[in-house]
Amino acid sequence: MTQITVNGKVVWVSASCVIKTQRFVEAGKKPGEIAALIGRPKPYAQALVKTIMEHAQMGRAA
C-alpha cells in the first residue's frame, strides 16, 4: 500500500494499482490516459503519477 494526497486528503493505493500505473508511466502514458485506464479520477491519477516519479528519481519503488 502507498499513501498519496488527493485534494488535501490522504488516500491509500493498493500495490497492484501502483504497479499497473507504474507500467503505464513507463509506457509514456499521460495522467489523463492513465486515469481512464485504471478507472480513477484524474486528480487521483495525477497524484499517483507524481508519487511514482518522485520515487523513481530517488531510485526506489513507490
Side-chain angles (χ1 to χ4, degrees):
M1 299 290 279
T2 299
Q3 273 186 334
I4 60 172
T5 304
V6 181
N7 297 329
K9 295 181 181 178
V10 175
V11 179
W12 286 94
V13 183
S14 69
S16 62
C17 185
V18 172
I19 292 167
K20 189 186 306 183
T21 303
Q22 192 168 2
R23 288 187 181 140
F24 290 138
V25 169
E26 290 169 356
K29 302 278 186 203
K30 302 215 182 296
E33 295 173 292
I34 293 171
L37 291 167
I38 64 173
R40 303 286 181 163
K42 190 173 178 181
Y44 180 100
Q46 288 172 326
L48 184 52
V49 168
K50 178 182 172 198
T51 301
I52 288 170
M53 297 302 283
E54 287 172 353
H55 283 253
Q57 276 187 316
M58 291 184 267
R60 61 182 182 164

